[in-house]
Amino acid sequence: MTQQNILELAKQGDAKAIALLLNRQLQPKGITAAASLKDGCLQVMLESAEAPSQQVMSAWVSKSLAGLGAASIEKVKVYGRQTGAKVPAWSQEFEVAGQKLPVANVTQGRASSSENTESNQLSLKERAKLGDVEAIASLLNLPLQNKGISATASLQDGCLQVMLEGDLVPDEEASIRVVRRELTNLKAGAIASVKVYGQQAGEDFPAWNREFELVARASQSSHNLGVNTTNQLSANNSYAETTQEPSLIQILNETSTELLSDNQWNAAFIILSVIAFFMLFVDFTLAVILAIAASIAYVKYQNTPTGKAAAAKRQLEALQKAEEALQKAEEAEQERLRQEEQKRILIEAAQSEAKLLTTNLAHTALDEFGKVNARLSVGVNYGDLSGVIAPAKFATQKFEKSKDYKVCPYLSELISKNMLCYELSMECFQLKVMKKPFSSQFKAIIQTEFPEVYDVGSDSFINKVWQKAYSYSDEIEAILESSDNLSG
C-alpha cells in the first residue's frame, strides 16, 4: 500500500490507516499507536516502555488529526499507558477541531519497593486505604467477580483509574454503583477522584468510561477527624496538667491509629486496665491516669477495622441466637400441636373400640381414680395413703384380669399408667419416711415415665406424679363417654 493510498484512507476515517500514519512518526520514539473508530469517535491507544507524556502526546495527536480533515471523525479519545499494562495511565478527550472537553488528567503511579514491602505486612483493607492499587483492585474484584468482571487499577496524584473487563462489556451503571460503593466505604484518603473504564476482554479500547469525585467526602471526613482528635487531645492534656502526670495520656493520644495495629490497641487496653487495677493499691492518681489511658485505647480499638468487625460479629451472633431461640420455640409449638393431634386421633380410635366393652370394670376403675384424685387434691398423710389408693388398685387389677383388657389397648394402657402413678407416689413416700435409698429398678421406672425429673425424692416430684394421674383420668373419662350404655 502506497503512502498516497494510506493518506486517502486515513482522510476517509480508516482507523488502521490512521494508526499506520501515527506509527511512522511515533515508533522511532519507542511509542506504538493503535486506533479504532466507532460512532464518530476515534480512540487512540499510545503505548511505550514508560507511559507517554499526556501533555505532549495529546497535543501532537490533536494537531495531527486536525490536519487530516477526516469528516467521519467528530471527537477523539487518546489513552496513554505503559506497555503490558491493562489500565491506561491517562486519558484525554477532544474534538477534532481542537476544542478541548473536560478531561481526567491521571498518570499511573507505582509505589516504591520499600512501601510495597511494608504494605504487604498489613491487611488487604489497610493496604487499600494507604493507596496500594493491587489491594484496591483485590477489594473491587470481590463483588465484581460474581458478575464475571475483573478489575485492575492504577493511582497517582489522587486519581484512581479502574479498568473493568468481562466476556461482555460490563454494564456501565451497575459497575459504577459497585465501584463507587466500595471506594466510598474504603475511605482511602489517597483517592480524590476516580475514572472507570469498561471493556470487553480482548478488545484494545474501552467501550465506555466514567469519572466521579471522592475528594469532597474524604475532605469532610478528614475535617471531622481533625476536630474530634483536637478536642480529645485538649481534654486529655488538660486533665494531665492537673495531675502533673501527662506523659502516658499524651503518648496514647499523640499516637495515631495507623501507628498501632488493631490487635495492639486491644492489647494496650487490656494491659493498661490490669496495671491500673493493681496501681489502686499503690498510687491512686497514677491508677486513674492509667484507667483513662486504657479507655482511650479501648475507644481507638473500637474504631479500628478489627474493633468494628468484632462489634458487628457480636451483633450478628446476638441476632443468630435470637433467631435460633425463635426457631426452637416454633419447633416446640409444632411438636406440641403434633402430639395433641396424635392424642386426639388415639382417643377417637379408642372411643370406637370402647363401644365393644362388655363390662363396667373400666368405669369402676375410673370412679375409684376420681375418689383418689379428690383426696390427693386436698392433701393426705403418708399413713392414710395406702388405704386411699387400695380400692383403686383392686378395681384396676380386676379390670386387667377381665377380657375387656384386650378390647381397647390404649384405654387399658391409660388405666395401668394411672394406677402406676399412685404406686410410685406411695413408694416415694415410704422411702422418704424410712430414709432408704431408691433402688436402680425404681429409678429406671421413674426415668421411663418422667425423663424430665432428676430429684425423685422431692415433694415437687410427687406432685408431678399426681398431676400425671389427673391427666390420665381425664383421658380415660373422654374415652369411656362413648360406652355409657353398658349394663354391667
Side-chain angles (χ1 to χ4, degrees), residues 297-313:
Y298 179 74
V299 171
K300 287 192 175 289
Y301 169 70
Q302 291 296 312
N303 290 326
T304 62
T306 299
K308 291 178 181 178
K313 183 179 179 181

Side-chain angles (χ1 to χ4, degrees), residues 271-430:
I271 293 171
L272 289 171
S273 299
V274 173
I275 296 175
F277 173 77
F278 287 105
M279 287 304 296
L280 284 173
F281 305 99
V282 180
D283 188 331
F284 179 78
T285 301
L286 184 57
V288 172
I289 295 172
L290 289 170
I292 295 174
S295 300
I296 295 170
Y298 179 74
V299 171
K300 287 192 175 289
Y301 169 70
Q302 291 296 312
N303 290 326
T304 62
T306 299
K308 291 178 181 178
K313 183 179 179 181
R314 289 193 296 270
Q315 185 177 9
L316 179 61
E317 289 175 347
L319 289 174
Q320 288 176 341
K321 288 181 179 178
E323 289 177 358
E324 290 174 0
L326 180 60
Q327 184 177 359
K328 288 181 179 178
E330 290 177 351
E331 290 175 353
E333 177 64 14
Q334 291 175 358
E335 177 62 19
R336 184 187 67 80
L337 294 175
R338 186 185 66 81
Q339 291 179 355
E340 287 184 353
E341 179 63 15
Q342 285 183 339
K343 184 175 290 186
R344 184 187 65 79
I345 293 172
L346 281 172
I347 290 178
E348 287 180 355
Q351 285 175 335
S352 298
E353 294 172 345
K355 294 177 181 179
L356 302 177
L357 295 174
T358 58
T359 70
N360 274 324
L361 293 176
H363 291 74
T364 303
L366 177 61
D367 291 340
E368 295 299 332
F369 293 159
K371 295 176 184 177
V372 176
N373 293 338
R375 287 293 304 274
L376 296 179
S377 62
V378 296
V380 61
N381 293 326
Y382 163 68
D384 299 332
L385 185 59
S386 178
V388 170
I389 68 174
K393 186 173 183 179
F394 177 75
T396 301
Q397 291 174 342
K398 193 172 181 181
F399 170 75
E400 291 175 344
K401 293 177 181 179
S402 71
K403 57 184 179 180
D404 283 344
Y405 185 73
K406 294 182 180 181
V407 170
C408 184
Y410 184 62
L411 173 65
S412 301
E413 180 185 356
L414 290 175
I415 291 175
S416 297
K417 284 186 174 181
N418 199 338
M419 191 62 229
L420 176 63
C421 288
Y422 299 144
E423 292 177 335
L424 288 177
S425 65
M426 188 170 68
E427 185 74 11
C428 287
F429 266 125
Q430 184 177 358

Side-chain angles (χ1 to χ4, degrees), residues 170-191:
D171 181 84
E172 181 175 354
E173 295 302 325
S175 300
I176 291 296
R177 283 197 300 270
V178 172
V179 173
R180 185 189 293 272
R181 182 191 69 221
E182 295 299 320
L183 294 178
T184 300
N185 293 338
L186 185 61
K187 297 179 181 178
I191 302 175

Side-chain angles (χ1 to χ4, degrees), residues 454-467:
Y454 297 97
D455 186 6
V456 296
S458 65
D459 292 338
S460 62
F461 169 66
I462 295 174
N463 288 329
K464 279 182 177 292
V465 173
W466 289 344
Q467 291 295 330

Side-chain angles (χ1 to χ4, degrees), residues 60-295:
W60 182 83
V61 172
S62 175
K63 183 178 178 181
S64 300
L65 295 177
L68 194 62
S72 59
I73 301 175
E74 299 174 2
K75 62 181 178 179
V76 180
K77 290 183 180 179
V78 185
Y79 305 91
R81 70 184 179 190
Q82 189 177 21
T83 303
K86 287 187 176 182
V87 185
W90 55 265
S91 67
Q92 187 157 322
E93 182 176 333
F94 52 84
E95 293 180 353
V96 176
Q99 181 181 359
K100 300 242 179 129
L101 301 176
V103 299
N105 187 359
V106 183
T107 306
Q108 183 177 12
R110 297 178 180 272
S112 66
S113 59
S114 60
E115 290 173 341
N116 288 337
T117 302
E118 181 179 357
S119 67
N120 287 336
Q121 298 173 356
L122 303 174
S123 70
L124 185 65
K125 191 170 184 179
E126 289 172 332
R127 288 165 51 201
K129 291 183 73 172
L130 294 174
D132 187 312
V133 291
E134 292 183 2
I136 293 172
S138 297
L139 287 178
L140 292 177
N141 275 313
L142 292 176
L144 290 172
Q145 282 177 344
N146 292 333
K147 305 178 185 298
I149 302 172
S150 63
T152 52
S154 65
L155 170 70
Q156 185 157 330
D157 298 332
C159 186
L160 178 73
Q161 291 216 46
V162 179
M163 173 63 77
L164 304 180
E165 287 188 319
D167 293 336
L168 300 175
V169 176
D171 181 84
E172 181 175 354
E173 295 302 325
S175 300
I176 291 296
R177 283 197 300 270
V178 172
V179 173
R180 185 189 293 272
R181 182 191 69 221
E182 295 299 320
L183 294 178
T184 300
N185 293 338
L186 185 61
K187 297 179 181 178
I191 302 175
S193 62
V194 182
K195 190 161 189 177
V196 185
Y197 303 88
Q199 177 175 303
Q200 186 175 5
E203 293 293 326
D204 293 327
F205 296 95
W208 56 263
N209 65 79
R210 179 88 69 87
E211 186 173 5
F212 57 88
E213 301 291 327
L214 286 180
V215 63
R217 187 169 297 183
S219 300
Q220 183 65 31
S221 300
S222 301
H223 172 72
N224 293 339
L225 178 61
V227 171
N228 294 338
T229 305
T230 302
N231 293 339
Q232 190 179 35
L233 284 171
S234 300
N236 289 328
N237 287 338
S238 174
Y239 180 85
E241 289 175 0
T242 61
T243 59
Q244 298 180 352
E245 292 283 348
S247 57
L248 288 173
I249 299 176
Q250 286 179 345
I251 289 172
L252 277 176
N253 279 284
E254 292 170 0
T255 304
S256 67
T257 54
E258 286 78 8
L259 297 181
L260 290 179
S261 70
D262 298 355
N263 291 332
Q264 285 173 331
W265 279 113
N266 193 28
F269 162 68
I270 295 172
I271 293 171
L272 289 171
S273 299
V274 173
I275 296 175
F277 173 77
F278 287 105
M279 287 304 296
L280 284 173
F281 305 99
V282 180
D283 188 331
F284 179 78
T285 301
L286 184 57
V288 172
I289 295 172
L290 289 170
I292 295 174
S295 300

